[in-house]
Amino acid sequence: MSKVTHFPKKLRVLTANVNGIRSAVRKGFMEWLAEQQVDVVCLQETRIHAGDIDEALHHLPGYHCWYVCAEKKGYSGVAIFSRLEPDHVRKNLGFPLSDTEGRYLQVDFGPLSIVSLYMPSGSSGDERQACKFEFMKTYEKILKEQAADKRLWVIAGDWNIAHTNKDIKNWRANQNSSGFLPEERAYIDKVLNDFGYVDAFRAYDPDSEIYTWWSARGGARRNNVGWRIDYQIVSPALAPCITQVQIFKDPFFSDHAPMIVDYDLDRLT
């Protein structure tokens, strides 16, 4: 595998569903982010329209910034901030459910690609669950092709699926809930087991029950009744490079927790 020469030996990637970037900014997200010394920042659910991105949002000092926005105002959207300028930026997946809703953004650095992904949620009803299944089916083909293309992939984002019983507090009560349906869990099984990707958090910490999202109802965050639905899904060659994974329940910027993964790219073989 080719060495990634664009970055320093230590690569730090953050993913966070901000549930509205303007709301997160008001809560101090940008100041906190500046302290983390992250190389690439992947954001989801920015909820901002292209015409409303002002200088304070678009430019994090020291970073190149890209946004992909949904056609519908105040909805969905992804962003990537990067210290170094990539060779290429991809802003679509080539099918309407992704591209009109602003769900995919990719930056390439030599043989390394880093993605900000926002998988649809099906929790609002049968229609949106059908859309989620449609997205999953189409994206599955892309994931399979990418797994075979010999590039290094970091697919960071809100996948809106809790994979195993360890990834959700009340798993027994949620077996018929969107985000923990058997078909959704089997999808992550296929991504990991059939296509060969690696869940960076589980590669680093196989057993802990740590969550990244909490409902706003019933004191879920206070009582840590959560779901782990935010991931960095990576190529198997990157698994030995993972040196640390951090999930930040506090400070509280949205209903999701930011996650940082550190990679030592000198470990690539």
Side-chain angles (χ1 to χ4, degrees):
M1 178 63 66
S2 300
K3 293 289 185 179
V4 180
T5 57
H6 291 62
F7 280 106
K9 295 176 182 180
K10 306 297 188 270
L11 171 66
R12 174 167 281 195
V13 180
L14 177 146
T15 186
N17 179 316
V18 291
N19 195 12
I21 191 167
R22 285 173 289 196
S23 172
V25 167
R26 288 194 296 270
K27 295 173 183 175
F29 178 70
M30 289 300 193
E31 291 80 4
W32 176 85
L33 184 58
E35 296 173 354
Q36 305 310 311
Q37 297 298 303
V38 175
D39 297 295
V40 180
V41 177
C42 299
L43 304 180
Q44 303 85 43
E45 203 172 358
T46 53
R47 290 177 174 259
I48 192 165
H49 197 258
D52 297 327
I53 299 170
D54 60 26
E55 291 294 305
L57 295 176
H58 191 69
H59 294 290
L60 183 65
Y63 290 82
H64 303 275
C65 303
W66 300 269
Y67 286 79
V68 174
C69 304
E71 292 180 358
K72 178 182 176 181
K73 285 194 172 184
Y75 182 73
S76 191
V78 290
I80 292 180
F81 306 155
S82 173
R83 287 186 181 275
L84 295 182
E85 190 168 2
D87 305 318
H88 181 257
V89 178
R90 179 179 178 181
K91 296 186 175 182
N92 60 70
L93 277 178
F95 62 98
L97 186 56
S98 170
D99 300 347
T100 64
E101 294 190 358
R103 296 193 175 275
Y104 187 90
L105 178 57
Q106 172 185 326
V107 290
D108 298 337
F109 306 90
L112 171 68
S113 292
I114 299 177
V115 171
S116 183
L117 173 73
Y118 184 29
M119 185 83 75
S121 170
S123 60
S124 63
D126 291 344
E127 182 179 349
R128 284 307 295 179
Q129 185 64 45
C131 289
K132 183 177 184 179
F133 283 142
E134 178 187 344
F135 185 102
M136 289 163 58
K137 182 178 179 180
T138 306
Y139 187 46
E140 178 183 324
K141 300 173 185 176
I142 296 169
L143 285 167
K144 185 175 182 179
E145 292 170 357
Q146 291 175 340
D149 69 6
K150 307 304 181 184
R151 294 186 62 75
L152 295 165
W153 290 91
V154 176
I155 306 168
D158 178 1
W159 287 65
N160 262 313
I161 300 171
H163 182 209
T164 73
N165 296 353
K166 290 184 290 188
D167 300 314
I168 178 171
K169 181 68 172 180
N170 290 333
W171 66 268
R172 289 183 179 86
N174 283 287
Q175 293 178 80
N176 294 316
S177 300
S178 177
F180 199 60
L181 298 174
E183 303 96 318
E184 295 171 322
R185 300 171 67 190
Y187 185 81
I188 300 297
D189 284 338
K190 182 178 288 188
V191 169
L192 301 180
N193 300 332
D194 295 355
F195 300 163
Y197 292 97
V198 173
D199 176 350
F201 175 78
R202 285 294 173 217
Y204 179 77
D205 187 339
D207 299 315
S208 293
E209 297 182 4
I210 297 175
Y211 311 119
T212 64
W213 175 81
W214 300 265
S215 169
R217 299 188 295 270
R221 193 180 189 102
R222 181 179 66 253
N223 297 315
N224 200 29
V225 180
W227 302 46
R228 188 176 72 93
I229 58 177
D230 302 86
Y231 298 85
Q232 292 190 32
I233 301 294
V234 306
S235 298
L238 286 171
C241 301
I242 298 165
T243 59
Q244 181 175 238
V245 179
Q246 301 174 79
I247 294 174
F248 297 85
K249 185 180 176 183
D250 297 303
F252 178 20
F253 303 113
S254 84
D255 51 351
H256 291 251
M259 178 174 68
I260 293 176
V261 180
D262 291 299
Y263 301 89
D264 182 352
L265 299 180
D266 263 354
R267 296 185 182 183
L268 285 169
T269 58

